[in-house]
Amino acid sequence: QKEVEQDPGPLSVPEGAIVSLNCTYSNSAFQYFMWYRQYSRKGPELLMYTYSSGNKEDGRFTAQVDKSSKYISLFIRDSQPSDSATYLCAMSEGAQKLVFGQGTRLTINP
Amino acid sequence: DGGITQSPKYLFRKEGQNVTLSCEQNLNHDAMYWYRQDPGQGLRLIYYSQIVNDFQKGDIAEGYSVSREKKESFPLTVTSAQKNPTAFYLCASTWATDAGELFFGEGSRLTVL
């Protein structure tokens, strides 16, 4: 069993839809949770960063962490074609070593 | 501009040849990383270094080697011992005490012919 599981998709939705991306994990020691966005043939860039449980909102993006269920989510409201990318969840116990999910490929159709 | 520069962007190699991928950063980061990305498998850690002249194996280090002679540079050599080297390679860096925000380069695509 992988430490971090993420549905690879692909996921295709119409413009304006609410998108929900999810990851589950098995290591209860994870404390730091991140979402990276990766455009085709580019390096990932940090999108959201959360410490421990709770919600964090940044514009159209909301990250949720439920440590009791070992489950994290990223919601995208009013999705735009420019949101089309691969989204990677990542998490760590502390400094240095991130564990990544497989990535979900998302397409927003105009 | 500060950032991470990887080169070459695309590289072709014949079987049995070693190849070195370059990674340079001017962000004054202490820690540097190499990841391999294959379709449907996310990012897998090859090697990482927290300080000059020191580095540790990641989850898939076999067939790879690195050096860290300067803070700014962390080259990765893909040796002929790597059984399936065709992949997208990503270099990243961060501050030593940071618990998550990795800054990535644009990647190097290696194809073995």
Side-chain angles (χ1 to χ4, degrees):
Chain A
Q1 182 189 2
K2 293 183 179 180
E3 265 191 301
V4 179
E5 295 277 2
Q6 182 177 6
D7 186 342
L11 182 62
S12 181
V13 302
E15 183 176 353
I18 297 175
V19 176
S20 172
L21 304 171
N22 311 294
C23 289
T24 59
Y25 63 95
S26 57
N27 185 351
S28 57
F30 285 146
Q31 297 186 77
Y32 301 90
F33 303 91
M34 286 133 276
W35 286 94
Y36 282 80
R37 178 174 62 195
Q38 184 179 22
Y39 291 114
S40 182
R41 299 187 187 89
K42 299 289 187 182
E45 57 181 347
L46 183 67
L47 189 60
M48 299 289 282
Y49 182 110
T50 308
Y51 172 70
S52 194
S53 285
N55 294 358
K56 185 173 185 179
E57 187 173 319
D58 184 1
R60 297 183 295 108
F61 299 89
T62 299
Q64 289 186 351
V65 175
D66 182 348
K67 291 189 72 177
S68 62
S69 301
K70 298 191 181 69
Y71 188 88
I72 70 170
S73 300
L74 177 70
F75 297 95
I76 307 174
R77 293 184 298 281
D78 187 24
S79 55
Q80 303 295 311
S82 59
D83 296 327
S84 298
T86 295
Y87 290 80
L88 298 145
C89 64
M91 46 201 81
S92 71
E93 297 180 30
Q96 303 304 314
K97 198 173 175 186
L98 283 182
V99 180
F100 285 86
Q102 298 95 311
T104 299
R105 187 173 175 182
L106 173 66
T107 300
I108 309 297
N109 301 302
Chain B
D1 288 336
I4 301 176
T5 302
Q6 288 187 240
S7 63
K9 198 172 179 70
Y10 298 96
L11 186 62
F12 297 89
R13 165 197 126 173
K14 294 181 180 179
E15 282 191 19
Q17 290 180 335
N18 292 354
V19 62
T20 297
L21 307 179
S22 170
C23 179
E24 303 277 334
Q25 55 96 1
N26 60 3
L27 300 167
N28 200 31
H29 285 165
D30 302 295
M32 297 187 73
Y33 303 77
W34 275 105
Y35 287 90
R36 170 180 172 140
Q37 187 173 32
D38 297 283
Q41 296 198 49
L43 274 63
R44 293 184 291 167
L45 183 63
I46 304 172
Y47 269 97
Y48 65 104
S49 168
Q50 300 177 17
I51 195 170
V52 174
N53 292 323
D54 187 45
F55 47 83
Q56 287 76 42
K57 293 182 179 179
D59 302 315
I60 56 165
E62 185 176 351
Y64 300 97
S65 66
V66 293
S67 63
R68 186 86 187 277
E69 297 176 1
K70 298 186 300 182
K71 186 176 182 178
E72 302 79 18
S73 179
F74 192 41
L76 173 74
T77 297
V78 184
T79 75
S80 57
Q82 168 51 232
K83 300 300 181 191
N84 186 21
T86 294
F88 189 51
Y89 291 89
L90 287 159
C91 179
S93 68
T94 190
W95 293 279
T97 56
D98 195 277
E101 185 170 6
L102 292 181
F103 294 80
F104 284 88
E106 297 246 306
S108 293
R109 176 72 188 178
L110 172 63
T111 302
V112 175
L113 304 173

